[in-house]
Amino acid sequence: MTADAHFWNRIAPKYAKSKIRDEAAYQYTLERTRSYLTVGDHALEIGCGTGSTAISLSDAVGRITATDLSDAMLDIGRDRAAEAGADNIGFEQCGDDGLPAGTFDAVMAFNLLHLVPDLDAALSSVAERLPSGKLFISKTPCLGEARGSFKYWMFLTLIPLMRLVGQAPSNVRFLSVADLEAAVEQAGFEIIETGNYPASTPGRYLVARRR
């Protein structure tokens, strides 16, 4: 088990009880994502956590494969999906560098890309699962946008300290919006929609079409 898998397994019960920090931004990005999906789609969500987003979008697609590296997170997700009657979600354990085989109509990654150890490899893996014209939909905290501010200094100081006491994962990337979008385009995508939801940090919402 990797250090990150151990971290997320350990905090899964607490994570499951935590509230969404900006409910309005979350709901807006859900609706934007829903607008790109169809009932015949087989979607893949990577880094699904406890399954909340997959469950919310389950009625917009034919099937969702929801993956995470944490078994504990997935167990909670399975229970939640069963309670919600979302029987078209299949939960699978895997990291961003070992995605399920096959192709998908859409790949989604929410609050994940700033945590992966190798962003280029993760995006390359996503691209391999999408035929030309299909969509990658993501939202990513771009911590690098605060560079030069007190907020940025706090991030730089607190995250390593939190990691020392087991309160942060081993990989936290300080991405700028420009760096994120350049990496997505380099992986073979054309960006067709962006926005910051929430505007602070920001949480960069991005829809990209596979070339």
Side-chain angles (χ1 to χ4, degrees), residues 63-105:
R63 182 183 174 196
I64 295 181
T65 298
T67 71
D68 201 276
L69 54 76
S70 166
D71 288 325
M73 292 280 193
L74 292 170
D75 286 342
I76 294 170
R78 292 185 185 100
D79 289 342
R80 286 181 166 180
E83 291 173 4
D87 57 4
N88 62 336
I89 305 175
F91 291 91
E92 296 185 21
Q93 191 278 329
C94 67
D96 58 273
D97 57 348
L99 300 182
T103 59
F104 298 85
D105 299 294

Side-chain angles (χ1 to χ4, degrees), residues 45 54 65 71 75 82 84 100 105-106 122 142 149 153 155 157 201 203 207 209:
E45 184 187 3
T65 298
D71 288 325
D75 286 342
D105 299 294
C142 287
S149 68
W153 179 84
F155 285 143
T157 303
T201 304
V207 182
R209 181 183 292 116

